[in-house]
Amino acid sequence: MYPDDTPHVPAQRAVEVHQPTPYPPAVAVPAPVVPVQPGAVPAVATIVLPDGRVVTGYAINPAQPEPLAAKPAVSRTAVNVVLGGVGFLAVCGGLILLTSFIAALTAFITQLITLAAVIFGGWIAVQIFSANGHQGGTTVNIRKAVIKRNKFYS
């Protein structure tokens, strides 16, 4: 902004000093007497402050305590018995479902075992009754075999 060889002086600012202006002390004015009937609360209240100002407003009713909580129409014991019954029915229903699931699982496993037996039995039947037989293995004629001391001789 400024060339290096140009000296400059910081800007001079005018400073204004503000002093607070005190208010004169309030003169206490006696409060006007408001006639009030004994035992009655006026609908609009008037108050004279110590500095003489008059404040008019509605009277504030004293705070009423909260009413006690009313007893429920149904006893807690009855509610607990009903909730216990609902829980018991839920457990019984769960046990019935579990029993049904176990029965279905048992039937499924039985069907799988039966299917495996049928497939394996079919494979064995094909091996026995096939026309080709065992072409690569040794054929043993059981009718001609002689059994002595748990050994086979042909």
Side-chain angles (χ1 to χ4, degrees), residues 46-75:
T46 302
I47 300 173
V48 179
L49 298 177
D51 62 356
R53 293 181 291 167
V54 177
V55 178
T56 304
Y58 292 101
I60 299 174
N61 294 332
Q64 297 292 331
E66 292 277 332
L68 295 175
K71 267 185 118 177
V74 180
S75 69

Side-chain angles (χ1 to χ4, degrees), residues 97-143:
L97 288 176
L98 181 64
T99 306
S100 301
F101 175 75
I102 291 172
L105 186 63
T106 304
F108 179 69
I109 291 173
T110 304
Q111 288 178 356
L112 286 180
I113 291 172
T114 305
L115 180 65
V118 167
I119 291 174
F120 185 67
W123 181 77
I124 290 175
V126 166
Q127 297 299 318
I128 290 175
F129 295 116
S130 65
N132 295 338
H134 295 284
Q135 294 183 2
T138 304
T139 303
V140 177
N141 190 350
I142 295 177
R143 292 184 192 147

Side-chain angles (χ1 to χ4, degrees), residues 15-21:
V15 177
E16 293 181 20
V17 177
H18 296 281
Q19 295 292 334
T21 306

